[in-house]
């Protein structure tokens, strides 16, 4: 019968593919077994006569990974130069140090332009230039400033959410004992600066700014740490990464709970309903990113209209995106090897590329399964890295870091309780909170210091925690309405972040230099 014929053909095809996979595995295992046997007998392995030094070259750099080998021998000669330029661009844009320098340059440029008499309308431009659409009576519009702070920064929070989910799935946050140290350190680094600010501003009428010195800047902290290169222990990088992510989680919760105005329950319910749809997508094993992005945009609109800050939608969207591959990765190498052999069998060197139908079909199938092998969370993270760190964050710094200093009384700025509270909270409260919480956690034997990390390292990282910048400025815009208070808070953030960044760098450099000078015993 037809159904029996189809079944037998599919079984035959499956058995053929199974035999090919088995043959490939046997061929792959045989050299390894021969190597081990020859090593046991103390003999040198014979060099294969059909292998040339050219064949020993590492695989071509086609993945877009800036760390892969530069060999491009399978590319056509005329396109190799193009791929080399692309690889150099990827290497440039995957540097946290360069991203940090770009954000700092944007902030300095904004500060200079804001205080240049030739350009008096710089700040007004961000408030008056509108972006929107008109569909009949429905005509939503956002100022350029709100578009950056509410929409583009939601994409930044989406990337933060992806980092949080990675840490929860495969990073430090997966191991409760190892995660406890940076989590409690982040908690101490949030509570102490908030108490410092509150103590300074009791009765001033500006108590709502307590959330400003709580937040630190993950990009700046990691960028400064990257300047020290390989001298920094891997455990310290992991500790700082997890600490800043835990700090971001605390900041997100503070924004959602304490900096929400005019709450509209209907819109909020709609946003939570769409989040539930995203969770259903995840449970149904939908791995295509497009449905998540479309529903995520709807959720962003609902949160924007509800009064809850719209950037929360980015974090919730990230938590719903699958972190697993669609392919059984343990079986993938054998399948790829078998498929590559089939493609090689179908290649006809005497025919033009465009008529190699069977060969191109096999290659296309390999490409399709390769894409399926990459988890959606990894694909999205890779796509967002460059636009977030090299466009969105510098643009945010350029539009929000400006402080008008001309015509202001310096003494009134320095003595203002908001300035004092933010400055002292970041520069003194943040390091003190991180260090004390970490010290208590270790002394109470709740967790241990990472391997290779000493208290000098923890002290340097604690000082780096005082680099608030992006997140602190973001919370400032939510906490204050008075432009003068916003300007003073921003001035304190910039000053404290600059001092904390420089001090933390030199402390860590001094600690690592002392370790390098210690004699080997």
């Amino acid at each position: 019968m037809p159904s029996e014929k189809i079944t037998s053909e599919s079984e035959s095809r499956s058995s053929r593919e199974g035999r090919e996979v088995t043959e490939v595995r046997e061929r792959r295992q045989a050299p390894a077994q021969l190597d081990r046997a020859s090593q046991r007998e103390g003999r040198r392995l014979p060099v294969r006569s059909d292998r040339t030094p050219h064949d020993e070259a590492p695989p071509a750099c086609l993945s877009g990974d800036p760390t892969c080998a530069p060999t491009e021998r399978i590319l056509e000669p005329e396109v190799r130069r193009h791929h080399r330029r692309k690889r150099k661009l990827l290497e440039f844009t995957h540097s946290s140090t360069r991203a940090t320098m770009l954000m700092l340059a944007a902030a300095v440029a904004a500060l200079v332009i804001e205080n240049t008499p030739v350009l008096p309308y710089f700040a007004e431009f961000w408030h008056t230039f509108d972006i929107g659409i008109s569909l009949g009576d429905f005509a939503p519009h956002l100022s350029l400033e709100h578009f950056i702070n509410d929409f583009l920064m939601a994409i930044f929070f989406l990337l933060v959410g992806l980092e949080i989910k990675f840490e929860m799935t495969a990073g430090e946050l997966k191991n409760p004992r190892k995660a406890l140290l940076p989590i409690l350190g982040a908690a101490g680094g949030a509570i102490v600066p908030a108490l410092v600010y509150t103590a300074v501003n009791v009765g001033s009428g500006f108590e709502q700014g307590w959330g400003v010195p709580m937040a630190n800047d993950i990009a700046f902290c990691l960028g400064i740490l990257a300047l020290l290169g390989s001298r920094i222990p891997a455990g310290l990088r992991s500790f700082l990464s997890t600490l800043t992510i835990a700090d971001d989680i605390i900041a997100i919760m503070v924004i959602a709970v304490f900096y929400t105005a005019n709450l509209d329950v209907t819109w909020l319910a709609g946003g939570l309903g769409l989040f539930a749809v995203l969770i259903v997508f995840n449970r149904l094993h939908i791995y295509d990113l497009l449905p998540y992005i479309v529903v995520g945009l709807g959720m962003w609109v609902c949160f924007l209209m509800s009064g809850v800050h719209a950037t929360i939608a980015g974090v919730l969207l990230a938590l719903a995106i699958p972190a697993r591959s669609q392919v059984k990765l343990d079986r993938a190498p054998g399948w790829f090897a078998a498929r590559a052999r089939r493609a090689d069998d179908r290649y006809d060197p005497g025919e033009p590329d465009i008529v190699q139908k069977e060969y191109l079909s096999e290659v296309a199938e390999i490409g399709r399964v390769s894409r399926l092998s990459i988890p959606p969370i990894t694909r999205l993270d890779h796509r967002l890295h460059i636009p977030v760190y090299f466009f969105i964050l510098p643009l945010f710094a350029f539009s929000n870091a400006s402080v008008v200093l001309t015509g202001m009384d310096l003494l009134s700025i320095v003595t203002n309780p908001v300035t004092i509270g933010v400055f002292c909270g970041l520069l003194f409260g943040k390091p003190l909170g991180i260090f004390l919480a970490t010290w208590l956690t270790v002394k109470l034997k709740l967790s241990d210091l990472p391997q290779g990390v000493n208290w000098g390292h923890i002290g340097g990282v604690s000082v780096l925690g005082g680099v608030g910048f992006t997140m602190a400025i973001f919370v400032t815009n939510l906490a204050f309405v008075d432009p003068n208070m916003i300007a003073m808070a921003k001035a304190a953030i910039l000053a404290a972040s600059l001092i904390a960044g420089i001090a933390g760098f030199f402390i860590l450099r001094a600690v690592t230099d002392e370790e390098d000078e210690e004699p080997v015993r």
Side-chain angles (χ1 to χ4, degrees):
M1 295 181 68
S3 61
E4 295 176 353
K5 183 178 180 180
I6 293 172
T7 303
S8 63
E9 289 178 354
S10 63
E11 290 175 352
S12 176
R13 184 165 58 253
S14 300
S15 63
R16 283 199 306 273
E17 291 183 355
R19 285 196 301 272
E20 289 174 349
V21 171
T22 302
E23 291 172 2
V24 169
R25 284 179 176 170
E26 290 174 353
R27 286 197 299 273
R28 292 172 63 199
Q29 293 170 359
Q33 294 168 355
L34 179 60
D35 290 354
R36 289 192 293 270
S38 299
Q39 289 168 1
R40 284 195 301 267
E41 296 173 11
R43 298 195 304 266
R44 288 190 56 161
L45 288 172
V47 179
R48 285 178 51 184
S49 58
D50 61 336
R51 298 289 295 272
T52 65
H54 183 69
D55 293 328
E56 297 294 341
C61 181
L62 299 175
S63 64
D65 183 355
T67 62
C68 67
T71 307
E72 295 161 344
R73 59 190 175 89
I74 69 170
L75 298 176
E76 293 289 348
E78 57 269 18
V79 299
R80 289 178 184 172
R81 186 176 300 175
H82 167 71
H83 279 269
R84 291 191 189 104
R85 288 195 295 265
K86 180 180 178 182
R87 189 177 68 250
K88 289 179 180 178
L89 177 62
L90 288 169
E91 290 172 353
F92 178 86
T93 54
H94 279 72
S95 168
S96 57
T97 303
R98 293 188 180 101
T100 300
M101 293 300 103
L102 183 59
M103 281 187 282
L104 183 60
V108 171
L111 189 63
V112 171
I113 293 173
E114 185 68 32
N115 292 276
T116 301
V118 181
L119 299 169
Y121 303 110
F122 177 75
E124 185 180 352
F125 167 75
W126 304 105
H127 299 285
T128 57
F129 187 88
D130 287 343
I131 297 175
I133 59 173
S134 296
L135 297 174
D137 295 333
F138 182 70
H141 285 77
L142 288 174
S143 68
L144 186 57
E145 181 188 39
H146 280 103
F147 176 77
I148 295 170
N149 294 349
D150 292 338
F151 181 74
L152 293 184
M153 287 300 287
I155 300 176
F156 164 69
F157 275 89
L158 171 58
L159 186 60
V160 171
L162 294 176
E163 293 171 352
I164 292 171
K165 182 157 186 175
F166 174 82
E167 290 295 331
M168 294 172 62
T169 306
E172 294 292 329
L173 296 180
K174 186 179 180 181
N175 187 323
R177 181 174 173 81
K178 291 177 66 177
L180 192 62
L181 188 66
I183 288 175
L184 292 181
I191 295 171
V192 174
L195 293 176
V196 169
Y197 179 91
T198 303
V200 173
N201 282 270
V202 170
S204 67
F206 303 113
E207 294 89 348
Q208 72 274 18
W210 58 269
V212 174
M214 291 178 63
N216 72 353
D217 192 299
I218 182 172
F220 263 91
C221 290
L222 295 178
I224 294 170
L225 198 67
L227 292 173
L228 294 165
S230 59
R231 292 185 294 181
I232 295 298
L236 187 64
R237 296 179 191 277
S238 178
F239 173 81
L240 180 60
S241 298
T242 310
L243 184 143
T244 52
I245 288 173
D247 190 276
D248 283 341
I249 295 174
I250 295 171
I252 290 165
M253 294 172 61
V254 168
I255 291 170
V257 176
F258 297 101
Y259 292 107
T260 296
N262 303 319
L263 184 64
D264 189 314
V265 178
T266 303
W267 282 106
L268 178 60
L272 294 176
L274 290 177
F275 177 61
V277 172
L278 292 173
I279 297 299
V280 172
F281 284 174
N282 185 294
R283 296 300 183 187
L284 293 176
H285 303 287
I286 296 176
Y287 290 91
D288 189 2
L289 285 171
L290 183 59
Y292 291 93
I293 300 300
V294 172
V295 176
L297 284 172
M299 182 171 62
W300 176 83
V301 172
C302 288
F303 279 119
L304 180 68
M305 303 300 292
S306 71
V308 174
H309 204 273
T311 52
I312 303 300
V315 179
L316 295 180
L317 173 59
L319 296 179
I321 294 175
R324 298 190 63 177
S325 171
Q326 301 180 61
V327 175
K328 293 182 178 180
L329 297 181
D330 59 331
R331 300 184 182 181
W335 185 92
F336 282 123
R339 209 76 188 201
R341 180 168 171 254
R342 290 176 60 178
D344 186 55
D345 292 341
R346 285 159 175 75
Y347 179 70
D348 186 352
E351 294 290 340
D353 294 348
I354 197 171
V355 298
Q356 305 265 4
K357 300 295 185 183
E358 293 184 354
Y359 172 78
L360 294 177
S361 176
E362 294 293 339
V363 171
E365 182 66 10
I366 292 172
R368 186 183 71 85
V369 177
S370 297
R371 289 188 293 272
L372 294 178
S373 301
I374 303 174
I377 189 175
T378 305
R379 282 186 278 135
L380 186 58
D381 179 83
H382 180 74
R383 294 175 185 176
L384 290 179
H385 178 86
I386 293 176
V388 166
Y389 285 108
F390 286 85
F391 175 69
I392 292 176
L393 289 182
L395 183 60
F396 175 82
F398 188 64
S399 62
N400 286 272
S402 58
V403 179
V404 180
L405 299 177
T406 55
M408 295 184 68
D409 182 7
L410 183 60
L411 183 61
S412 65
I413 297 176
V414 174
T415 57
N416 187 278
V418 171
T419 306
I420 298 172
V422 172
F423 183 84
C424 293
L426 280 172
L427 191 58
F428 303 115
K430 194 81 175 175
L432 183 63
I434 294 173
F435 191 88
L436 284 180
T438 305
W439 183 80
L440 284 173
T441 304
V442 173
K443 291 304 177 182
L444 294 175
K445 298 183 179 180
L446 299 175
S447 186
D448 302 313
L449 287 179
Q451 185 176 2
V453 175
N454 58 40
W455 288 110
H457 292 130
I458 297 298
V461 164
S462 299
V463 174
L464 278 186
V467 180
F469 202 66
T470 305
M471 287 297 292
I473 291 175
F474 187 82
V475 177
T476 296
N477 293 330
L478 301 177
F480 300 109
V481 178
D482 187 351
N484 290 328
M485 294 302 105
I486 292 176
M488 291 182 183
K490 287 180 179 179
I493 292 167
L494 294 175
S497 298
L498 179 63
I499 296 172
I502 295 173
F505 172 82
F506 280 107
I507 291 172
L508 288 172
R509 183 173 179 177
V511 172
T512 54
D513 286 345
E514 287 179 3
E515 290 182 341
D516 293 339
E517 293 173 359
E518 288 182 359
V520 179
R521 297 179 181 176

